[in-house]
Amino acid sequence: MEAMSIVPKTWTRETGLAEKRDVWSAIKRGFRGRCPRCGEGKLFRAFLKVDDHCPICGLDFTPHRADDLPAYLVIVIVGHIVVPTALFIETDFSPPVWLQLAIYLPLTLVLSLALLQPVKGAVVGVQWALRMHGFDENTPDDIAPG
């Protein structure tokens, strides 16, 4: 039986220019905390600290500018889960306030912490797929004057 030799893919400027970037794949990979390009390397080195580069394909993560967008998106997502749940329970069962606070506050905290890293990874994936910020291979020097 003949052994197959695996040739590592080298990312160069030429392959980057022809590289197709699927937005949905990048979002899914980022949501899972993986490199948006190869899907194998880790995106985070700590809870919310994005690594400098992918250990597998070498993609530079330093240009990402997630800033406050992940936090805003988590607030919207958690709000759309907790508020209708609270309104449903209040109108149908009317439990005491202390019980509602004992349920909704921890629920909000746990959901927010659980979603923050995946949402930030998805935002970094979108930025890479749409060639935003420094994820574009064309630097301003390469742009011809109009």
Side-chain angles (χ1 to χ4, degrees):
M1 186 170 201
E2 186 176 286
M4 292 178 55
S5 65
I6 299 174
V7 179
K9 186 168 186 175
T10 305
W11 296 96
T12 63
R13 183 170 181 83
E14 289 75 28
T15 58
L17 291 174
E19 179 183 12
K20 302 277 189 222
R21 296 183 179 182
D22 181 40
V23 175
W24 292 111
S25 294
I27 290 173
K28 285 187 262 184
R29 290 171 178 168
F31 192 83
R32 289 189 343 249
R34 299 292 174 198
C35 171
R37 178 163 58 189
C38 68
E40 295 177 23
K42 288 187 146 201
L43 184 60
F44 296 97
R45 70 172 180 256
F47 180 61
L48 290 177
K49 294 284 185 187
V50 177
D51 204 351
D52 293 335
H53 65 281
C54 174
I56 306 298
C57 69
L59 175 64
D60 183 20
F61 297 136
T62 55
H64 89 86
R65 298 289 175 261
D67 298 331
D68 292 335
L69 181 61
Y72 292 132
L73 292 176
V74 167
I75 290 169
V76 169
I77 293 167
V78 171
H80 278 82
I81 293 170
V82 173
V83 171
T85 304
L87 290 174
F88 171 74
I89 291 174
E90 174 62 31
T91 56
D92 286 357
F93 303 108
S94 191
V97 174
W98 68 267
L99 182 60
Q100 293 183 52
L101 290 175
I103 295 171
Y104 305 137
L105 292 179
L107 178 66
T108 303
L109 179 67
V110 168
L111 283 174
S112 298
L113 290 176
L115 286 173
L116 199 52
Q117 186 183 38
V119 169
K120 184 170 183 174
V123 168
V124 173
V126 166
Q127 290 178 353
W128 174 80
L130 298 179
R131 301 175 193 273
M132 296 171 69
H133 308 295
F135 287 121
D136 188 8
E137 293 86 12
N138 299 322
T139 60
D141 296 336
D142 296 334
I143 299 173

